[in-house]
Amino acid sequence: LLAHPGPVILHCFSSPALLAPALERGWYVSFAGNVTYANAEDLRNAARALPAELILAETDCPYLAPQPVRGKTNEPAYVVHTVAALAEARGEDADTLAAQIDANASAAFGLS
């Protein structure tokens, strides 16, 4: 990853030990439904520590459905639960965070 010339996205982030290197390198960190699980305080702590311009959210379909729909096959519509959990953990408004994540995704994927 160090040699990759473009943006780096840590997909389905589940390794809080990688947060410091990701921050040092300006990598995007993408959270999936597992951040909503009761035992995932380490992931929520990572989300709190992440600058807003590096946070992303995803579904990781068909796995890791967020807590409100856990046990179901995950689908894109459920990302709203992940964003809500991230916003709550960060003490932010969910709509504001969703707009930031949208802007981050556009930048990461060269859509802007």
Side-chain angles (χ1 to χ4, degrees):
L1 291 175
L2 294 175
H4 180 68
V8 171
I9 300 169
L10 298 181
H11 160 69
C12 192
F13 186 73
S14 59
S15 300
L18 293 178
L19 185 62
L23 291 172
E24 289 171 16
R25 293 167 175 89
W27 292 347
Y28 292 97
V29 176
S30 186
F31 294 91
N34 55 336
V35 75
T36 69
Y37 301 167
N39 65 350
E41 192 60 33
D42 57 342
L43 295 181
R44 289 186 291 278
N45 287 337
R48 285 182 198 100
L50 194 63
E53 64 272 7
L54 294 178
I55 194 167
L56 293 171
E58 61 179 278
T59 58
D60 197 39
C61 291
Y63 309 107
L64 299 174
Q67 192 60 47
V69 290
R70 194 166 181 185
K72 295 183 178 182
T73 300
N74 205 357
E75 60 182 70
Y78 296 161
V79 75
V80 297
H81 300 296
T82 301
V83 172
L86 289 167
E88 182 177 347
R90 293 169 59 83
E92 298 176 11
D93 174 72
D95 290 336
T96 302
L97 182 59
Q100 178 68 57
I101 289 171
D102 185 58
N104 295 346
S106 292
F109 293 107
L111 303 174
S112 52

